[in-house]
Amino acid sequence: MNYNLIIYLLIMILVTNLLRVLPMILIRKQIKNRFIQSFLYYVPYVTLAVMTVPAIFEATTIPIAGVIALAAGILAAWFGLNLFCVATVCCLCVFIAEFVLL
Amino acid sequence: MSAFSKGLRDGLPIGMGYMAVAFSLGIISRNAGLTPAIGFFSSFFTRASAGELGVYSLIAVGATIAEMVLVCIIANLRYLLMSASLTQKFDPSMPMWKRALVACCVTDEVYGISIAYPGRLPMAYPTAAMLLAGAMWGAGNALGIVAGNILPVNVVSALSVALYGMFIAVFVPPCRKNKAVLIAVASSFAISWLCSALPGISSISSGIRIVILTIVIATVAAIIHPVDIEDEGTN
């Protein structure tokens, strides 16, 4: 057993979860400030959008497959498909696009 | 359907995506000297894709603890913002231990489905989703350590966009209802893509880029188009 490795991993677990827990126990009240309320309202959508582009183009073997998956995923979600279906549509698009183009 | 069952239902597709990603993570964590059992527990208790990837790569090259902590903070700083935003979905009288426990459920995807949950968020929902998806995340890492490169490249490539498909399913529906969100999301796409392509800016790590862009764009959106949110926490 490599104790040095275990220490590294325990510190990683501690630091990562502290980042999650701190705001949750420090911010206990309903926020009344309109700016902060608005800021926190936009955070999830902005951060997920920023995480999706450009990473989705870099995740696939060829970037264009990622572009197709993004477009198809947006269409599927726009027309009300659920989480799992949208993810499946994206995966299928990449599989087919790479099959055709590679 | 109880909130716990709903959490399991929505946690399953997330877990399937996690397994595929963690499988490829396992190939890297094996280089860091993780055994399948250690890999399972390490991933189950951390639940951070970019953070874990950074840490395992650093351990493999013998980095110091200080370096690892820094990478951990930068790659996971977005959880701080997500957790802060999620506080508004809970009852202010919720006890501390429950808050701490539910905060640990914050990952990109479980946070995504929690934000999409209508009204106040029952603790059972993210907890159930996290237990299932987290176990599958850990199992994926363990499998990757055991089996290495077993899946064909085209399958891995296709599975790797599953997580982004889940993000899309979270941020697109509100775009349809709210023009301000639509503009914010479209700007996020454009600015994020630009920042990854422009020389200089593109050398910033993606973890830091995500944090900076989130703060800047959400601040601008909040100034230009402040929202009126009811006290019910139904954001």
Side-chain angles (χ1 to χ4, degrees):
Chain A
M1 184 74 73
N2 184 344
Y3 289 102
N4 203 21
L5 173 68
I6 303 291
I7 289 168
Y8 271 74
L9 297 179
L10 287 178
I11 293 173
M12 168 181 75
I13 291 170
L14 184 75
V15 171
T16 309
N17 287 300
L18 261 184
L19 288 171
R20 296 175 167 124
V21 169
L22 282 179
M24 194 64 82
I25 57 176
L26 293 179
I27 309 172
R28 306 198 55 191
K29 288 185 185 143
Q30 204 71 45
I31 293 169
K32 297 288 180 200
N33 179 300
R34 194 163 179 234
F35 170 75
I36 298 175
Q37 238 183 1
S38 305
F39 173 77
L40 292 178
Y41 170 80
Y42 286 110
V43 160
Y45 308 122
V46 169
T47 196
L48 290 175
V50 167
M51 276 192 279
T52 303
V53 173
I56 193 170
F57 311 141
E58 291 154 8
T60 51
T61 311
I62 43 174
I64 189 76
V67 176
I68 295 169
L70 175 65
I74 290 174
L75 275 179
W78 189 271
F79 290 106
L81 265 70
N82 68 28
L83 201 85
F84 185 63
C85 293
V86 174
T88 309
V89 164
C90 291
C91 290
L92 283 176
C93 280
V94 170
F95 190 79
I96 295 166
E98 296 192 337
F99 184 78
V100 173
L101 296 170
L102 280 178
Chain B
M1 195 186 250
S2 72
F4 192 85
S5 315
K6 276 188 200 159
L8 288 180
R9 182 196 65 192
D10 295 341
L12 182 65
I14 294 177
M16 281 158 39
Y18 278 4
M19 248 181 135
V21 175
F23 191 87
S24 49
L25 185 71
I27 297 161
I28 291 145
S29 58
R30 182 167 57 173
N31 296 336
L34 275 72
T35 63
I38 293 177
F40 176 84
F41 287 108
S42 171
S43 282
F44 179 75
F45 286 110
T46 312
R47 303 170 311 281
S49 54
E52 284 185 52
L53 179 71
V55 168
Y56 298 147
S57 316
L58 281 181
I59 292 176
V61 297
T64 63
I65 287 183
E67 278 179 281
M68 179 192 68
V69 169
L70 191 66
V71 163
C72 225
I73 291 174
I74 290 167
N76 296 318
L77 206 52
R78 64 183 188 281
Y79 294 143
L80 197 86
L81 292 177
M82 291 182 186
S83 197
S85 122
L86 203 57
T87 55
Q88 303 300 299
K89 293 280 281 182
F90 293 109
D91 198 299
S93 64
M94 192 180 194
M96 283 294 205
W97 69 270
K98 283 191 175 178
R99 289 185 161 258
L101 198 65
V102 86
C104 289
C105 297
V106 171
T107 64
D108 302 337
E109 297 74 20
V110 174
Y111 167 75
I113 59 169
S114 302
I115 279 297
Y117 196 94
R120 281 251 185 261
L121 181 64
M123 186 187 165
Y125 180 75
T127 310
M130 195 68 258
L131 281 176
L132 181 61
M136 291 173 83
W137 173 246
N141 190 11
L143 272 177
I145 294 170
V146 176
N149 262 327
I150 251 182
L151 290 178
V153 176
N154 57 352
V155 174
V156 173
S157 185
L159 288 176
S160 64
V161 297
L163 294 177
Y164 303 113
M166 289 176 210
F167 294 165
I168 294 168
V170 172
F171 65 65
V172 168
C175 288
R176 205 180 158 169
K177 289 188 212 117
N178 185 333
K179 212 174 160 191
V181 176
L182 177 68
I183 295 168
V185 165
S187 318
S188 303
F189 276 176
I191 297 168
S192 179
W193 180 78
L194 265 179
C195 286
S196 74
L198 288 176
I201 302 176
S202 59
S203 59
I204 301 172
S205 81
S206 68
I208 299 183
R209 197 175 66 215
I210 287 166
V211 171
I212 295 176
L213 288 183
T214 300
I215 293 173
V216 171
I217 299 170
T219 300
V220 173
I223 291 170
I224 296 178
H225 199 279
V227 284
D228 287 306
I229 299 159
E230 300 302 305
D231 273 355
E232 311 306 316
T234 49
N235 47 343

